[in-house]
Structure formats: C-alpha cells, structure tokens
C-alpha cells in the first residue's frame, strides 16, 4: 500500500519564509523518504497571484525532488481552513487512497501571541512530525496488521472525546471506508475548522485510534482542552517524545 502525504499549506507573502514555516519545511525534508506520493494543497487569499503560487510550489519541489508530487490551489477559507481540503481530497475519495498521513502548516500566528513561549511552540510543531513519522513503521503496522484505523501525534483523551490535537495522523483509508459502509455510518457535513481533529470520534472509531507507543494525553476536567502551543514542551515529555532522536530532529530543524 502506498504511503501518501496530504499536506495543507496556507501561503502569504509576508510569512512564506518565516521562521515557523522554515521549521515545517525542514521537518518535511527530514522525513520526506517516508512517503511514496505527496499531495500539497496551497491555500491562498488571491488565487490569481501566480507569482506567490509558483514561489510556494518551488519550495515543495525542492523538498520532494524525485517524488510523485501533486498540487491543488484553493481559495483560503478562514472559517474552514484545512477541513475543506480534508473533506474534498480525502473523505470524498477514501476508496481511492491507501495509507494517508494528513498534516498542515501551523504556528505562524501563535508566535506573535504574548503568551507564546518559543521553545514550547517549536516542541508543538516538531513533536507533531516526530510523533507520527519517526516511528512510522510501528504506526503503519498498527493500522494494517493490528486493529487500529488511525495512529498519530498528540493523541488526546478529553472529558468528552478522543482526538489528535493539532491534526497530524495516519489513516488507513480503505479500512475506514469499509467501516463506514459496514456500519452504515455517515460522514458529518463540513461545518468547522476542527473537524479533522475530531474525525475519528465523529464516525465512532475512537476505540480504533492510537499512538505509536500507546501513550496519550488525558484531560478529565470538564471543558478543559489545554493550550497545546503553550504547554507542548510538557506534553512532549508526557508522551515520551523527549528522546535523543527527538532532540536530534530539533537541532536539525532549528539550527540548520
């Protein structure tokens, strides 16, 4: 089965080469060999800005040189963000796909927040890649040889649901499609930007969610969801990401 990256990237002239985006680009470079195929969605405010689209495409061409690479350009939707892409290119095509890793650029706006601790924010971003891709063979075994449908980073049990906080996770799309048909489950209509995080819960496969090492974050206090980009250094420790391999990746993307 093919290992397919589906990546949503919101591009703007003033942030294209920002520190946070560079962190994402280096993480993708670090793990590019994991994937057989790459599908990049470029979300943009002005779809007629051909120069910005080309500049953005060139970044991904350089990262994934030699890979099968497909682009989709779409109008940015500030309410739905990556959820629209997720619905159109993954949920509407489950039968056609294989082992999909969904991810997206994030953190560009958080770095300017007065509450932001830069080191914790970088742990949030880098941990999102590490938690799914560094041990990808274990993750893929879980969703093919084991019972699970999804496996991802920052696996979280809240008082009301389970989710992947920050939305980086692997999906066995054919297994999910079979589950939907077998149980006559419907995919909820697109309504908000957080639907990708909640997708497994929304189709009743929360018992088939996992992380590569079996660890998860737990928030039992009602209505408390946690500020992930504020407290991510602590969360990485809880999830067992504080390894030599993690900090080798951290040094690669931060100091390169």
């Amino acid at each position: 089965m093919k290992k397919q990256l589906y990546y949503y990237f919101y591009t703007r002239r003033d942030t294209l080469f920002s520190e946070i985006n560079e962190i994402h680009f280096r993480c993708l470079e670090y793990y590019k060999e994991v994937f057989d195929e790459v599908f990049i969605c470029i979300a943009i405010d002005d779809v007629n800005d051909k120069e910005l689209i080309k500049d953005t495409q060139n970044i991904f061409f350089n990262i994934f040189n030699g890979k099968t690479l497909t682009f989709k350009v779409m109008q940015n939707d500030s309410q739905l963000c990556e959820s629209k892409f997720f619905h159109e290119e993954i949920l509407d095509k489950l039968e056609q796909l294989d082992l999909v890793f969904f991810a997206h650029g994030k953190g560009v706006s958080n770095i300017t927040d007065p509450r932001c601790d830069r080191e914790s924010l970088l742990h949030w971003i880098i941990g999102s890649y590490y938690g799914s891709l560094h041990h990808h063979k274990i993750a893929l075994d879980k969703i093919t040889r084991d019972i699970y449908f999804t496996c991802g980073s920052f696996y979280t049990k809240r008082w009301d649901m389970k989710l992947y906080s920050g939305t980086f996770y692997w999906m066995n799309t054919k297994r999910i499609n079979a589950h939907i048909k077998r149980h006559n489950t419907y995919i909820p209509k697109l309504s908000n930007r957080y639907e990708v995080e909640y997708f497994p819960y929304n189709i009743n496969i929360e018992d088939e969610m996992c992380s590569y090492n079996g660890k998860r974050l737990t928030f039992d206090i009602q209505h408390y969801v946690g500020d992930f980009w504020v407290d991510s250094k602590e969360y990485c420790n809880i999830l067992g990401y504080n390894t030599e391999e993690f900090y080798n990746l951290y040094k690669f993307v931060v100091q390169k």
Side-chain angles (χ1 to χ4, degrees), residues 145-196:
R145 298 169 62 88
D146 210 331
I147 64 170
Y148 300 99
F149 292 17
T150 62
C151 184
S153 311
F154 292 110
Y155 175 40
T156 302
K157 180 182 182 297
R158 267 181 13 191
W159 64 276
D160 58 341
M161 68 172 67
K162 295 177 185 177
L163 66 151
Y164 294 105
S165 298
T167 319
F168 278 57
Y169 59 94
W170 286 99
M171 309 165 57
N172 185 330
T173 60
K174 287 183 170 61
R175 180 177 279 186
I176 291 171
N177 186 63
H179 167 85
I180 290 171
K181 289 186 174 181
R182 184 167 58 248
H183 296 279
N184 199 27
T185 302
Y186 74 96
I187 297 175
K189 297 293 185 181
L190 178 59
S191 64
N192 65 80
R193 66 169 299 182
Y194 301 107
E195 289 200 3
V196 189

Short mmCIF file of all heavy atoms in Angstrom, two decimals, residues 145-196:
data_model
loop_
_atom_site.label_atom_id
_atom_site.label_comp_id
_atom_site.label_asym_id
_atom_site.label_seq_id
_atom_site.Cartn_x
_atom_site.Cartn_y
_atom_site.Cartn_z
N ARG A 145 -1.64 -4.23 10.32
CA ARG A 145 -1.54 -5.56 10.92
C ARG A 145 -2.33 -5.66 12.22
O ARG A 145 -2.78 -6.75 12.61
CB ARG A 145 -0.08 -5.92 11.17
CG ARG A 145 0.77 -5.97 9.91
CD ARG A 145 2.25 -6.06 10.23
NE ARG A 145 2.58 -7.27 10.96
CZ ARG A 145 2.89 -8.42 10.39
NH1 ARG A 145 2.91 -8.53 9.06
NH2 ARG A 145 3.18 -9.49 11.12
N ASP A 146 -2.48 -4.55 12.92
CA ASP A 146 -3.22 -4.52 14.18
C ASP A 146 -4.65 -4.04 13.90
O ASP A 146 -5.06 -3.92 12.75
CB ASP A 146 -2.50 -3.61 15.18
CG ASP A 146 -2.70 -4.04 16.62
OD1 ASP A 146 -3.77 -4.63 16.92
OD2 ASP A 146 -1.83 -3.78 17.47
N ILE A 147 -5.40 -3.71 14.94
CA ILE A 147 -6.83 -3.42 14.82
C ILE A 147 -7.15 -1.96 14.54
O ILE A 147 -8.30 -1.61 14.28
CB ILE A 147 -7.58 -3.84 16.10
CG1 ILE A 147 -7.10 -2.97 17.29
CG2 ILE A 147 -7.39 -5.31 16.38
CD1 ILE A 147 -7.94 -3.13 18.54
N TYR A 148 -6.14 -1.08 14.55
CA TYR A 148 -6.42 0.36 14.55
C TYR A 148 -6.66 0.92 13.16
O TYR A 148 -6.20 0.38 12.15
CB TYR A 148 -5.27 1.09 15.25
CG TYR A 148 -5.08 0.65 16.67
CD1 TYR A 148 -4.09 -0.27 17.01
CD2 TYR A 148 -5.93 1.11 17.68
CE1 TYR A 148 -3.93 -0.71 18.32
CE2 TYR A 148 -5.78 0.68 18.99
CZ TYR A 148 -4.79 -0.22 19.31
OH TYR A 148 -4.64 -0.66 20.60
N PHE A 149 -7.41 2.03 13.14
CA PHE A 149 -7.72 2.72 11.89
C PHE A 149 -6.85 3.96 11.71
O PHE A 149 -6.59 4.37 10.58
CB PHE A 149 -9.19 3.16 11.87
CG PHE A 149 -10.19 2.05 11.79
CD1 PHE A 149 -9.85 0.74 12.08
CD2 PHE A 149 -11.50 2.32 11.43
CE1 PHE A 149 -10.79 -0.27 12.01
CE2 PHE A 149 -12.44 1.31 11.35
CZ PHE A 149 -12.08 0.01 11.65
N THR A 150 -6.46 4.58 12.82
CA THR A 150 -5.66 5.81 12.79
C THR A 150 -4.57 5.73 13.84
O THR A 150 -4.73 5.08 14.88
CB THR A 150 -6.52 7.06 13.06
OG1 THR A 150 -7.09 6.97 14.38
CG2 THR A 150 -7.64 7.22 12.03
N CYS A 151 -3.45 6.42 13.55
CA CYS A 151 -2.34 6.48 14.51
C CYS A 151 -1.65 7.82 14.33
O CYS A 151 -1.29 8.18 13.20
CB CYS A 151 -1.35 5.34 14.27
SG CYS A 151 0.00 5.26 15.47
N GLY A 152 -1.49 8.57 15.43
CA GLY A 152 -0.95 9.90 15.22
C GLY A 152 -0.31 10.53 16.44
O GLY A 152 -0.16 9.92 17.50
N SER A 153 0.05 11.79 16.25
CA SER A 153 0.75 12.58 17.25
C SER A 153 -0.24 13.27 18.19
O SER A 153 -1.38 13.54 17.82
CB SER A 153 1.60 13.65 16.55
OG SER A 153 2.37 13.10 15.52
N PHE A 154 0.23 13.57 19.40
CA PHE A 154 -0.58 14.27 20.40
C PHE A 154 -1.98 13.65 20.51
O PHE A 154 -3.00 14.35 20.52
CB PHE A 154 -0.65 15.77 20.09
CG PHE A 154 0.67 16.46 20.27
CD1 PHE A 154 1.38 16.94 19.18
CD2 PHE A 154 1.23 16.61 21.52
CE1 PHE A 154 2.61 17.56 19.33
CE2 PHE A 154 2.46 17.23 21.69
CZ PHE A 154 3.16 17.70 20.60
N TYR A 155 -1.98 12.32 20.61
CA TYR A 155 -3.22 11.57 20.83
C TYR A 155 -3.77 11.98 22.20
O TYR A 155 -3.06 11.91 23.20
CB TYR A 155 -2.92 10.08 20.76
CG TYR A 155 -4.05 9.15 21.09
CD1 TYR A 155 -5.35 9.42 20.65
CD2 TYR A 155 -3.82 7.98 21.79
CE1 TYR A 155 -6.38 8.54 20.94
CE2 TYR A 155 -4.84 7.09 22.07
CZ TYR A 155 -6.12 7.38 21.65
OH TYR A 155 -7.14 6.50 21.93
N THR A 156 -5.02 12.39 22.23
CA THR A 156 -5.57 13.04 23.41
C THR A 156 -6.95 12.51 23.76
O THR A 156 -7.82 12.38 22.90
CB THR A 156 -5.69 14.57 23.17
OG1 THR A 156 -4.39 15.09 22.86
CG2 THR A 156 -6.23 15.28 24.39
N LYS A 157 -7.14 12.20 25.04
CA LYS A 157 -8.46 11.86 25.55
C LYS A 157 -8.95 13.03 26.40
O LYS A 157 -8.36 13.34 27.43
CB LYS A 157 -8.43 10.59 26.38
CG LYS A 157 -9.80 10.20 26.94
CD LYS A 157 -9.72 8.96 27.79
CE LYS A 157 -11.09 8.54 28.29
NZ LYS A 157 -11.72 9.56 29.17
N ARG A 158 -9.98 13.67 25.93
CA ARG A 158 -10.63 14.73 26.68
C ARG A 158 -11.81 14.16 27.46
O ARG A 158 -12.19 13.02 27.26
CB ARG A 158 -11.14 15.83 25.73
CG ARG A 158 -10.16 16.94 25.54
CD ARG A 158 -10.61 18.04 24.63
NE ARG A 158 -12.02 18.08 24.25
CZ ARG A 158 -12.48 18.88 23.30
NH1 ARG A 158 -11.66 19.69 22.66
NH2 ARG A 158 -13.76 18.88 23.00
N TRP A 159 -12.39 14.97 28.30
CA TRP A 159 -13.55 14.51 29.08
C TRP A 159 -14.71 14.09 28.18
O TRP A 159 -15.53 13.26 28.56
CB TRP A 159 -14.01 15.61 30.03
CG TRP A 159 -14.51 16.85 29.31
CD1 TRP A 159 -13.77 17.88 28.84
CD2 TRP A 159 -15.87 17.13 28.96
NE1 TRP A 159 -14.55 18.82 28.21
CE2 TRP A 159 -15.87 18.38 28.29
CE3 TRP A 159 -17.08 16.48 29.16
CZ2 TRP A 159 -17.03 18.96 27.81
CZ3 TRP A 159 -18.24 17.08 28.70
CH2 TRP A 159 -18.21 18.30 28.02
N ASP A 160 -14.75 14.64 26.96
CA ASP A 160 -15.90 14.38 26.09
C ASP A 160 -15.57 13.59 24.83
O ASP A 160 -16.49 13.11 24.15
CB ASP A 160 -16.54 15.71 25.68
CG ASP A 160 -15.55 16.64 24.97
OD1 ASP A 160 -14.33 16.43 25.11
OD2 ASP A 160 -16.00 17.57 24.28
N MET A 161 -14.30 13.43 24.46
CA MET A 161 -13.97 12.74 23.22
C MET A 161 -12.48 12.42 23.16
O MET A 161 -11.70 12.88 23.99
CB MET A 161 -14.35 13.61 22.02
CG MET A 161 -13.50 14.87 21.87
SD MET A 161 -13.81 15.77 20.33
CE MET A 161 -15.50 16.32 20.58
N LYS A 162 -12.11 11.65 22.13
CA LYS A 162 -10.70 11.43 21.79
C LYS A 162 -10.41 12.14 20.48
O LYS A 162 -11.28 12.22 19.60
CB LYS A 162 -10.40 9.94 21.65
CG LYS A 162 -10.55 9.13 22.94
CD LYS A 162 -10.29 7.66 22.67
CE LYS A 162 -10.55 6.82 23.90
NZ LYS A 162 -10.37 5.37 23.61
N LEU A 163 -9.19 12.65 20.35
CA LEU A 163 -8.81 13.39 19.15
C LEU A 163 -7.30 13.40 19.00
O LEU A 163 -6.57 12.98 19.91
CB LEU A 163 -9.34 14.82 19.20
CG LEU A 163 -8.73 15.74 20.28
CD1 LEU A 163 -8.76 17.19 19.82
CD2 LEU A 163 -9.50 15.62 21.59
N TYR A 164 -6.84 13.90 17.84
CA TYR A 164 -5.42 14.16 17.63
C TYR A 164 -5.25 15.67 17.65
O TYR A 164 -5.54 16.36 16.67
CB TYR A 164 -4.94 13.58 16.29
CG TYR A 164 -4.99 12.07 16.26
CD1 TYR A 164 -5.99 11.41 15.54
CD2 TYR A 164 -4.05 11.31 16.95
CE1 TYR A 164 -6.04 10.02 15.51
CE2 TYR A 164 -4.11 9.92 16.93
CZ TYR A 164 -5.10 9.29 16.21
OH TYR A 164 -5.16 7.91 16.19
N SER A 165 -4.79 16.18 18.77
CA SER A 165 -4.67 17.63 18.93
C SER A 165 -3.60 18.17 17.99
O SER A 165 -2.46 17.73 18.01
CB SER A 165 -4.32 17.97 20.38
OG SER A 165 -5.34 17.54 21.24
N GLY A 166 -3.99 19.11 17.15
CA GLY A 166 -3.06 19.65 16.17
C GLY A 166 -3.15 18.99 14.81
O GLY A 166 -2.57 19.48 13.84
N THR A 167 -3.84 17.84 14.74
CA THR A 167 -4.22 17.24 13.46
C THR A 167 -3.04 16.73 12.63
O THR A 167 -2.85 17.14 11.50
CB THR A 167 -5.05 18.23 12.60
OG1 THR A 167 -5.96 18.92 13.43
CG2 THR A 167 -5.83 17.48 11.54
N PHE A 168 -2.23 15.86 13.19
CA PHE A 168 -1.21 15.13 12.43
C PHE A 168 -1.43 13.66 12.72
O PHE A 168 -1.17 13.19 13.83
CB PHE A 168 0.20 15.52 12.89
CG PHE A 168 0.73 16.80 12.30
CD1 PHE A 168 0.04 18.00 12.45
CD2 PHE A 168 1.95 16.83 11.63
CE1 PHE A 168 0.54 19.19 11.92
CE2 PHE A 168 2.47 18.01 11.11
CZ PHE A 168 1.75 19.19 11.24
N TYR A 169 -1.92 12.89 11.71
CA TYR A 169 -2.11 11.47 11.96
C TYR A 169 -2.21 10.67 10.66
O TYR A 169 -2.53 11.19 9.60
CB TYR A 169 -3.34 11.20 12.83
CG TYR A 169 -4.68 11.67 12.33
CD1 TYR A 169 -5.52 10.82 11.61
CD2 TYR A 169 -5.15 12.95 12.63
CE1 TYR A 169 -6.78 11.22 11.19
CE2 TYR A 169 -6.40 13.37 12.23
CZ TYR A 169 -7.22 12.50 11.51
OH TYR A 169 -8.47 12.92 11.09
N TRP A 170 -1.90 9.36 10.82
CA TRP A 170 -2.03 8.39 9.74
C TRP A 170 -3.45 7.83 9.72
O TRP A 170 -4.06 7.65 10.77
CB TRP A 170 -1.07 7.23 9.93
CG TRP A 170 0.37 7.51 9.66
CD1 TRP A 170 1.34 7.78 10.58
CD2 TRP A 170 1.03 7.49 8.38
NE1 TRP A 170 2.56 7.95 9.96
CE2 TRP A 170 2.40 7.78 8.61
CE3 TRP A 170 0.59 7.27 7.08
CZ2 TRP A 170 3.33 7.85 7.58
CZ3 TRP A 170 1.51 7.34 6.04
CH2 TRP A 170 2.87 7.63 6.30
N MET A 171 -3.93 7.50 8.50
CA MET A 171 -5.23 6.88 8.33
C MET A 171 -5.11 5.71 7.35
O MET A 171 -4.48 5.86 6.32
CB MET A 171 -6.24 7.87 7.73
CG MET A 171 -6.33 9.20 8.40
SD MET A 171 -7.22 10.41 7.36
CE MET A 171 -8.78 9.57 7.11
N ASN A 172 -5.72 4.59 7.69
CA ASN A 172 -5.91 3.52 6.72
C ASN A 172 -7.26 3.79 6.07
O ASN A 172 -8.31 3.40 6.59
CB ASN A 172 -5.88 2.15 7.40
CG ASN A 172 -5.95 1.01 6.40
OD1 ASN A 172 -6.53 1.13 5.33
ND2 ASN A 172 -5.34 -0.12 6.75
N THR A 173 -7.24 4.47 4.93
CA THR A 173 -8.49 4.98 4.35
C THR A 173 -9.42 3.86 3.88
O THR A 173 -10.64 3.98 4.01
CB THR A 173 -8.20 5.94 3.19
OG1 THR A 173 -7.47 5.25 2.17
CG2 THR A 173 -7.41 7.14 3.67
N LYS A 174 -8.85 2.79 3.36
CA LYS A 174 -9.71 1.69 2.90
C LYS A 174 -10.37 0.98 4.08
O LYS A 174 -11.52 0.54 4.00
CB LYS A 174 -8.89 0.72 2.05
CG LYS A 174 -8.55 1.28 0.66
CD LYS A 174 -7.81 0.27 -0.18
CE LYS A 174 -7.69 0.74 -1.64
NZ LYS A 174 -6.96 2.00 -1.79
N ARG A 175 -9.66 0.86 5.18
CA ARG A 175 -10.25 0.25 6.37
C ARG A 175 -11.35 1.15 6.92
O ARG A 175 -12.41 0.66 7.34
CB ARG A 175 -9.15 0.02 7.43
CG ARG A 175 -9.66 -0.61 8.70
CD ARG A 175 -8.52 -0.88 9.68
NE ARG A 175 -7.81 -2.11 9.35
CZ ARG A 175 -6.84 -2.65 10.10
NH1 ARG A 175 -6.46 -2.04 11.22
NH2 ARG A 175 -6.25 -3.76 9.73
N ILE A 176 -11.12 2.45 6.91
CA ILE A 176 -12.15 3.40 7.37
C ILE A 176 -13.36 3.34 6.44
O ILE A 176 -14.51 3.35 6.91
CB ILE A 176 -11.57 4.82 7.42
CG1 ILE A 176 -10.54 4.92 8.56
CG2 ILE A 176 -12.68 5.86 7.62
CD1 ILE A 176 -9.75 6.22 8.55
N ASN A 177 -13.12 3.29 5.15
CA ASN A 177 -14.22 3.23 4.19
C ASN A 177 -15.06 1.96 4.41
O ASN A 177 -16.30 2.02 4.35
CB ASN A 177 -13.67 3.26 2.77
CG ASN A 177 -14.75 3.33 1.72
OD1 ASN A 177 -15.50 4.30 1.67
ND2 ASN A 177 -14.85 2.32 0.89
N ALA A 178 -14.40 0.84 4.64
CA ALA A 178 -15.13 -0.41 4.89
C ALA A 178 -15.96 -0.31 6.16
O ALA A 178 -17.10 -0.79 6.22
CB ALA A 178 -14.14 -1.58 4.99
N HIS A 179 -15.42 0.33 7.19
CA HIS A 179 -16.15 0.51 8.45
C HIS A 179 -17.40 1.36 8.21
O HIS A 179 -18.49 1.02 8.72
CB HIS A 179 -15.23 1.20 9.47
CG HIS A 179 -15.95 1.72 10.67
ND1 HIS A 179 -16.24 0.94 11.76
CD2 HIS A 179 -16.45 2.96 10.94
CE1 HIS A 179 -16.88 1.66 12.66
NE2 HIS A 179 -17.02 2.89 12.19
N ILE A 180 -17.26 2.44 7.46
CA ILE A 180 -18.39 3.33 7.19
C ILE A 180 -19.50 2.57 6.47
O ILE A 180 -20.69 2.69 6.81
CB ILE A 180 -17.92 4.55 6.38
CG1 ILE A 180 -17.05 5.46 7.25
CG2 ILE A 180 -19.12 5.33 5.83
CD1 ILE A 180 -16.38 6.57 6.48
N LYS A 181 -19.13 1.76 5.48
CA LYS A 181 -20.13 1.01 4.72
C LYS A 181 -20.75 -0.10 5.56
O LYS A 181 -21.97 -0.32 5.53
CB LYS A 181 -19.49 0.43 3.47
CG LYS A 181 -19.15 1.47 2.41
CD LYS A 181 -18.65 0.82 1.14
CE LYS A 181 -18.46 1.86 0.04
NZ LYS A 181 -17.98 1.26 -1.22
N ARG A 182 -19.92 -0.79 6.33
CA ARG A 182 -20.40 -1.94 7.11
C ARG A 182 -21.39 -1.51 8.19
O ARG A 182 -22.38 -2.19 8.47
CB ARG A 182 -19.21 -2.67 7.73
CG ARG A 182 -19.58 -3.94 8.48
CD ARG A 182 -18.36 -4.77 8.80
NE ARG A 182 -17.37 -4.04 9.59
CZ ARG A 182 -16.18 -3.67 9.13
NH1 ARG A 182 -15.84 -3.90 7.87
NH2 ARG A 182 -15.34 -3.03 9.92
N HIS A 183 -21.12 -0.34 8.80
CA HIS A 183 -21.97 0.13 9.90
C HIS A 183 -22.96 1.21 9.47
O HIS A 183 -23.63 1.79 10.32
CB HIS A 183 -21.08 0.66 11.03
CG HIS A 183 -20.22 -0.40 11.66
ND1 HIS A 183 -20.71 -1.27 12.61
CD2 HIS A 183 -18.93 -0.75 11.46
CE1 HIS A 183 -19.75 -2.10 12.98
NE2 HIS A 183 -18.65 -1.80 12.30
N ASN A 184 -23.02 1.44 8.16
CA ASN A 184 -23.94 2.45 7.64
C ASN A 184 -23.75 3.78 8.34
O ASN A 184 -24.71 4.48 8.70
CB ASN A 184 -25.40 1.98 7.78
CG ASN A 184 -26.33 2.74 6.87
OD1 ASN A 184 -25.92 3.24 5.82
ND2 ASN A 184 -27.59 2.85 7.27
N THR A 185 -22.49 4.13 8.57
CA THR A 185 -22.14 5.37 9.23
C THR A 185 -22.06 6.50 8.20
O THR A 185 -21.60 6.28 7.09
CB THR A 185 -20.77 5.24 9.94
OG1 THR A 185 -20.83 4.16 10.87
CG2 THR A 185 -20.40 6.52 10.67
N TYR A 186 -22.50 7.66 8.58
CA TYR A 186 -22.40 8.79 7.66
C TYR A 186 -21.27 9.72 8.09
O TYR A 186 -20.95 9.82 9.27
CB TYR A 186 -23.72 9.56 7.59
CG TYR A 186 -24.01 10.42 8.79
CD1 TYR A 186 -23.69 11.78 8.80
CD2 TYR A 186 -24.61 9.88 9.94
CE1 TYR A 186 -23.94 12.57 9.91
CE2 TYR A 186 -24.87 10.66 11.05
CZ TYR A 186 -24.53 12.01 11.02
OH TYR A 186 -24.77 12.80 12.12
N ILE A 187 -20.66 10.35 7.11
CA ILE A 187 -19.63 11.35 7.38
C ILE A 187 -20.32 12.69 7.60
O ILE A 187 -21.08 13.14 6.74
CB ILE A 187 -18.63 11.45 6.23
CG1 ILE A 187 -17.88 10.12 6.06
CG2 ILE A 187 -17.65 12.59 6.45
CD1 ILE A 187 -16.96 10.09 4.88
N PRO A 188 -20.12 13.34 8.75
CA PRO A 188 -20.80 14.61 9.03
C PRO A 188 -20.50 15.66 7.98
O PRO A 188 -19.41 15.69 7.39
CB PRO A 188 -20.25 15.01 10.40
CG PRO A 188 -19.77 13.74 11.02
CD PRO A 188 -19.27 12.91 9.87
N LYS A 189 -21.45 16.53 7.75
CA LYS A 189 -21.25 17.63 6.83
C LYS A 189 -20.19 18.59 7.39
O LYS A 189 -20.06 18.76 8.60
CB LYS A 189 -22.56 18.40 6.62
CG LYS A 189 -23.67 17.58 5.97
CD LYS A 189 -23.33 17.23 4.53
CE LYS A 189 -24.49 16.52 3.85
NZ LYS A 189 -24.15 16.14 2.45
N LEU A 190 -19.46 19.19 6.48
CA LEU A 190 -18.40 20.11 6.86
C LEU A 190 -19.01 21.34 7.53
O LEU A 190 -19.89 22.00 6.98
CB LEU A 190 -17.63 20.53 5.61
CG LEU A 190 -16.49 21.53 5.78
CD1 LEU A 190 -15.44 21.00 6.75
CD2 LEU A 190 -15.86 21.82 4.42
N SER A 191 -18.54 21.64 8.75
CA SER A 191 -19.13 22.76 9.49
C SER A 191 -18.13 23.64 10.22
O SER A 191 -18.46 24.77 10.58
CB SER A 191 -20.15 22.23 10.51
OG SER A 191 -19.50 21.42 11.49
N ASN A 192 -16.89 23.15 10.46
CA ASN A 192 -15.93 23.97 11.20
C ASN A 192 -14.51 23.49 10.94
O ASN A 192 -14.30 22.41 10.41
CB ASN A 192 -16.25 23.98 12.70
CG ASN A 192 -16.08 22.60 13.32
OD1 ASN A 192 -14.97 22.17 13.62
ND2 ASN A 192 -17.20 21.89 13.50
N ARG A 193 -13.54 24.30 11.35
CA ARG A 193 -12.14 24.03 11.04
C ARG A 193 -11.55 22.89 11.86
O ARG A 193 -10.46 22.40 11.55
CB ARG A 193 -11.31 25.30 11.26
CG ARG A 193 -11.22 25.75 12.70
CD ARG A 193 -10.19 26.84 12.89
NE ARG A 193 -8.87 26.39 12.53
CZ ARG A 193 -7.76 27.13 12.63
NH1 ARG A 193 -7.84 28.36 13.07
NH2 ARG A 193 -6.59 26.64 12.29
N TYR A 194 -12.23 22.45 12.92
CA TYR A 194 -11.67 21.44 13.81
C TYR A 194 -12.10 20.02 13.46
O TYR A 194 -11.77 19.08 14.17
CB TYR A 194 -12.06 21.76 15.26
CG TYR A 194 -11.58 23.12 15.70
CD1 TYR A 194 -12.48 24.17 15.86
CD2 TYR A 194 -10.23 23.36 15.92
CE1 TYR A 194 -12.03 25.43 16.25
CE2 TYR A 194 -9.78 24.62 16.30
CZ TYR A 194 -10.69 25.64 16.46
OH TYR A 194 -10.25 26.89 16.84
N GLU A 195 -12.82 19.86 12.35
CA GLU A 195 -13.37 18.55 12.04
C GLU A 195 -12.31 17.50 11.75
O GLU A 195 -12.57 16.31 11.91
CB GLU A 195 -14.35 18.66 10.87
CG GLU A 195 -15.64 19.36 11.26
CD GLU A 195 -16.78 19.06 10.31
OE1 GLU A 195 -16.58 18.27 9.38
OE2 GLU A 195 -17.86 19.62 10.52
N VAL A 196 -11.13 17.92 11.31
CA VAL A 196 -10.08 16.93 11.04
C VAL A 196 -9.61 16.30 12.35
O VAL A 196 -9.42 15.08 12.44
CB VAL A 196 -8.90 17.56 10.28
CG1 VAL A 196 -7.94 16.47 9.83
CG2 VAL A 196 -9.38 18.37 9.09
#
